[in-house]
Amino acid sequence: MLKLALANLTHRKIRSALSVLAVAIAITLLLVLVGLSRGTLNEVSNRMQSVQAEIIVRDKHFDLGSMSGGKLWEKEIADIVRIQIDDTPAVEHVMAVFLDRMKLAGLSQNVFGVHPEDFAFFAGSRRLIKGEIFSDVDSPSAALALAEAKSNRKIILDSASTTSEPLNYLPLIIDQRLAAASQLAVGDPVSYGDSPAKIVAVVETGVAGRVFAPINMLRGANGVAAQTAHMFFVKANPSLNTDQLQKLCEQIHSNIRRDATLVANYGQVIAENFRNLTIFMNLVSVIALVICFLFILVTIYTIVLERGKEIAILQSLGASRLRVLGQTVQESLIICSTGTVLGIILTFVVRYLIETLQPLMTIEVRISWILIAVLVGIGGGILSALYPGYIALSHDPVEALSFE
Amino acid sequence: MSDLLIKTEKLCKTFHHDGIKTPVLFDVDMQVRQGEFVAVMGPSGCGKSTLMHILGLMLSPSGGDIIIDGCSAADLNEAGRAKLRREKIGFVFQRFNLLPTVSGYDNIAVAERIRGNTVDGQVDNALAAVDMTEKARFKPGRLSIGQQQRIAIARAIVHRPRIVMADEPTGNLDSTNAETILELFRQIHREQGITIFLITHSLTAAQYADRIIYMADGRIQDIG
Ligand SMILES: Nc1ncnc2c1ncn2[C@@H]1O[C@H](COP(=O)(O)OP(=O)(O)O)[C@@H](O)[C@H]1O
Ligand SMILES: [Mg+2]
């Protein structure tokens, strides 16, 4: 009797369409809220894992949330490079990162200050779509001197450049997503605090930072004369196995008294750092789930309650209770499954919109949550039809038949 | 085998609502024979509809029993009553009670599917019997009330029930339409041998019956 269910739904097209939409919105709400609360942190962790390195070193006071706090000294790199595990040199390369924040097109972004020659490790397989890698001055003090010179309206020399071209701005590489969202292209001038900066290249999305700058110039721009850094990325000898990598972490910790974490565990570290946030996210997920469920319940409840007369007619024709319930469930399932599918599609649309308009945000749509959404949609559809169906059945069919 | 189709034994019905008791039927003893055309007459509120709903197993009596085609209703559970209803009884109501969202044809087809029957020539035959073949694809809303009642009759006879129970089927119709409908009942009764139990307060309608049962204040008055 699918035909009857479909006929009932097409009989009141707008009403049915609105019900489908209501379910779809509930499902979208669920997936977007959950995806948003989980996505942004996971995306950061994924980007960290894109770096061609196995270990992240940071000071224990460094705060992952604000990306600030305790600092490292670049000279500590020598102590790390020296480490041997099982009599073989364990470290291939160490990259220093100086972090800062800046506003680009109204969006607050972390800026990764890196040595130009390290950029390839950050980019990995990702290409520069446009522009070229920046160069840097030799030291932060040189950068400071240049900044001073600039404020005296003298020309800043890009001392690393062979052509000695004047460079009176901070060169930035941004990722594609930020470029798209902020509508910035190579050559566009931007400002870094009060100083001028310029986009010199756009890199494919997925790199650790959305914004890269030459480390010494970034230090200089921050008034830092010393060779400090916030993070080291350690590229280990490729022959090391997981146990040896773990050993390397311990060794780094005992040698220089810094926290060393496997990049692979970074997600976990973030989660621990944001314990309250994680609890909040789980709470949001549960609330979204409940709201979604209630939404479906109310939508279907009102539809089925309206079916009192139809239910009575079916009973007068000799339909068993089970059959009548099956009929209401069928109708509800058509609405809920259509709504669920629409909701999932809508989620991807919303994700596209949010990530385009707000590149800092990431909505992670996981298969597991899609499955949960489908279960909520279908389960909500069945339960919310059963209850009012049962109520309608417990009413006197004779009464329903006598009403107009 | 007895030719009794329905027999009631001291049938009583009292409605209970919010502690208020409304006694409606008192010790109703009546019989309907196989193949009879019976009309039930009586003033409004005397319990005719209630009696029909109990006979049709849509409503449980407060006391007494009904024996339909040899089965005691008291021995049946809800599923058993539903089965008896869908196999042996067809209802026609004053207000038609068609499903508004499907065509006349599908209203009858739904009834057949509930019985687990395949939808085939039976539906067409039923439609032909009420002369509604042409208009069967329209939804009830696009049919005149007379046509709606004809679809409802087709629905009630499609499975060749033992008995058709009609509760004031002409109560909402003008005299011309009423006459058509009553002629239909006569035709069904004569040609298909289906027992008719017709509730009416119109003497004209009652005259189509072989026998008239008079009711007043929840009791059978006189069996004519
Ligand atoms: N569900 C009900 N609850 C309470 N009283 C009812 C119910 N159905 C009918 N009655 C009462 O029972 C009496 C008989 O009703 P009914 O069988 O419909 O009479 P008739 O069909 O002869 O007009 C009326 O007084 C009516 O108000
Ligand atoms: Mg009545």
Side-chain angles (χ1 to χ4, degrees):
Chain A
M1 302 236 285
L2 188 62
K3 194 169 185 178
L4 179 58
L6 287 173
N8 282 345
L9 295 176
T10 49
H11 189 69
R12 298 180 70 178
K13 290 187 186 64
I14 293 182
R15 156 64 173 273
S16 304
L18 286 178
S19 307
V20 166
L21 198 65
V23 174
I25 288 172
I27 295 287
T28 306
L29 183 80
L30 173 66
L31 288 176
V32 168
L33 278 182
V34 171
L36 195 62
S37 64
R38 276 154 214 267
T40 304
L41 284 189
N42 284 348
E43 196 251 1
V44 172
S45 135
N46 287 343
R47 283 197 280 132
M48 291 304 173
Q49 294 182 29
S50 76
V51 180
Q52 308 289 296
E54 289 77 24
I55 293 170
I56 294 176
V57 179
R58 62 200 159 94
D59 183 74
K60 64 172 178 294
H61 296 300
F62 177 71
D63 177 46
L64 287 163
S66 57
M67 289 271 188
S68 63
K71 284 185 180 170
L72 309 168
W73 294 91
E74 205 165 324
K75 63 179 186 244
E76 292 170 86
I77 288 178
D79 296 326
I80 297 175
V81 171
R82 243 197 314 272
I83 297 173
Q84 298 212 335
I85 302 282
D86 301 332
D87 295 330
T88 34
V91 176
E92 212 165 69
H93 186 66
V94 178
M95 297 144 256
V97 177
F98 182 93
L99 286 163
D100 190 33
R101 267 183 175 269
M102 72 177 290
K103 274 208 148 186
L104 257 186
L107 304 165
S108 181
Q109 298 289 348
N110 284 315
V111 185
F112 276 51
V114 300
H115 290 291
E117 61 274 20
D118 286 346
F119 185 76
F121 291 96
F122 287 95
S125 60
R126 291 166 185 84
R127 296 171 304 112
L128 283 186
I129 290 162
K130 226 175 163 214
E132 302 221 332
I133 176 82
F134 44 60
S135 46
D136 199 359
V137 294
D138 291 333
S139 67
S141 43
L144 270 179
L146 283 171
E148 189 110 339
K150 184 193 71 181
S151 65
N152 294 336
R153 300 186 182 280
K154 286 176 190 164
I155 292 169
I156 299 173
L157 288 181
D158 178 1
S159 59
S161 155
T162 46
T163 53
S164 289
E165 267 183 83
L167 190 61
N168 55 356
Y169 54 82
L170 181 68
L172 301 174
I173 298 178
I174 61 174
D175 80 357
Q176 209 179 349
R177 200 156 127 190
L178 180 59
S182 60
Q183 304 211 312
L184 286 171
V186 170
D188 285 351
V190 291
S191 52
Y192 176 83
D194 297 333
S195 355
K198 190 161 151 181
I199 312 296
V200 298
V202 174
V203 63
E204 277 181 310
T205 304
V207 288
R210 290 211 189 285
V211 185
F212 286 93
I215 188 166
N216 284 332
M217 292 181 78
L218 190 63
R219 285 164 175 154
N222 275 278
V224 175
Q227 295 197 308
T228 61
H230 296 94
M231 288 200 273
F232 294 152
F233 283 89
V234 177
K235 179 162 179 50
N237 186 328
S239 66
L240 294 194
N241 61 28
T242 323
D243 285 346
Q244 290 170 316
L245 282 176
Q246 199 60 54
K247 260 191 205 167
L248 178 55
C249 283
E250 286 157 19
Q251 199 66 53
I252 291 171
H253 185 71
S254 60
N255 278 21
I256 63 169
R257 299 273 132 213
R258 303 295 194 185
D259 287 354
T261 318
L262 288 178
V263 174
N265 294 343
Y266 192 77
Q268 214 179 313
V269 173
I270 293 188
E272 278 164 23
N273 247 272
F274 294 90
R275 170 145 296 145
N276 287 339
L277 192 58
T278 313
I279 293 171
F280 172 74
M281 287 183 329
N282 289 334
L283 205 67
V284 166
S285 308
V286 170
I287 291 172
L289 206 76
V290 170
I291 291 177
C292 177
F293 204 76
L294 287 179
F295 221 74
I296 293 176
L297 219 70
V298 169
T299 305
I300 300 302
Y301 188 87
T302 50
I303 290 184
V304 176
L305 276 192
E306 266 188 8
R307 295 275 184 265
K309 180 136 184 180
E310 176 185 313
I311 287 172
I313 292 175
L314 294 178
Q315 283 184 287
S316 79
L317 293 171
S320 63
R321 283 159 174 263
L322 206 65
R323 173 138 219 162
V324 171
L325 279 182
Q327 187 66 32
T328 60
V329 167
Q330 197 174 44
E331 207 170 308
S332 155
L333 275 183
I334 293 173
I335 289 181
C336 288
S337 49
T338 315
T340 304
V341 170
L342 187 67
I344 291 170
I345 295 172
L346 217 60
T347 302
F348 284 98
V349 173
V350 169
R351 180 174 82 164
Y352 174 79
L353 289 178
I354 289 186
E355 291 188 356
T356 309
L357 299 174
Q358 287 286 328
L360 262 186
M361 291 186 175
T362 295
I363 297 173
E364 192 176 302
V365 185
R366 283 205 195 170
I367 291 290
S368 57
W369 273 93
I370 289 186
L371 287 179
I372 289 176
V374 168
L375 283 181
V376 169
I378 304 290
I382 293 175
L383 285 182
S384 54
L386 280 182
Y387 180 61
Y390 174 79
I391 290 187
L393 274 177
S394 61
H395 283 161
D396 202 340
V398 168
E399 261 178 80
L401 287 173
S402 321
F403 287 127
E404 187 69 323
Chain B
M1 198 190 122
S2 129
D3 71 341
L4 272 188
L5 183 59
I6 297 180
K7 179 175 161 41
T8 67
E9 288 166 355
K10 296 209 176 309
L11 210 57
C12 299
K13 181 67 184 178
T14 302
F15 289 105
H16 297 265
H17 274 299
D18 307 320
I20 301 167
K21 291 184 183 179
T22 319
V24 175
L25 296 180
F26 306 90
D27 294 334
V28 173
D29 285 315
M30 57 156 291
Q31 303 175 348
V32 178
R33 283 185 296 277
Q34 180 69 55
E36 247 190 323
F37 189 146
V38 184
V40 178
M41 287 194 79
S44 185
C46 71
K48 306 183 293 293
S49 297
T50 305
L51 175 64
M52 184 191 96
H53 293 138
I54 292 176
L55 296 183
L57 308 185
M58 296 276 287
L59 201 62
S60 300
S62 313
D65 195 11
I66 317 121
I67 291 129
I68 298 186
D69 211 17
C71 294
S72 160
D75 296 341
L76 295 171
N77 58 11
E78 166 61 31
R81 289 197 293 272
K83 185 173 188 295
L84 205 146
R85 209 153 56 220
R86 68 177 170 259
E87 287 175 358
K88 301 193 173 168
I89 302 173
F91 287 104
V92 177
F93 302 97
Q94 181 174 357
R95 295 178 200 282
F96 324 131
N97 283 328
L98 296 173
L99 299 169
T101 61
V102 294
S103 68
Y105 183 95
D106 284 328
N107 260 280
I108 303 165
V110 160
E112 280 295 83
R113 286 206 193 85
I114 285 174
R115 299 185 179 101
N117 296 344
T118 51
V119 174
D120 51 20
Q122 293 284 57
V123 177
D124 296 314
N125 291 345
L127 282 166
V130 298
D131 195 20
M132 282 294 291
T133 309
E134 307 276 285
K135 302 258 171 157
R137 66 201 157 83
F138 292 121
K139 288 181 185 173
R142 292 193 50 195
L143 299 173
S144 73
I145 48 173
Q147 290 167 336
Q148 289 184 48
Q149 195 60 304
R150 271 143 71 185
I151 293 288
I153 292 173
R155 180 178 64 181
I157 61 169
V158 63
H159 57 302
R160 300 191 158 274
R162 282 304 186 80
I163 183 166
V164 167
M165 299 183 176
D167 189 353
E168 309 212 25
T170 56
N172 266 14
L173 303 180
D174 58 83
S175 57
T176 321
N177 270 314
E179 200 186 320
T180 317
I181 295 298
L182 290 166
E183 282 299 335
L184 267 179
F185 279 112
R186 173 176 279 167
Q187 196 180 321
I188 291 160
H189 174 239
R190 288 194 178 154
E191 291 174 10
Q192 307 193 23
I194 296 175
T195 308
I196 309 282
F197 184 86
L198 173 75
I199 290 175
T200 182
H201 56 240
S202 134
L203 195 58
T204 326
Q207 275 160 358
Y208 280 76
D210 306 334
R211 177 162 71 95
I212 299 175
I213 298 174
Y214 293 96
M215 272 185 85
D217 296 330
R219 295 171 212 272
I220 306 280
Q221 292 302 60
D222 180 23
I223 296 177

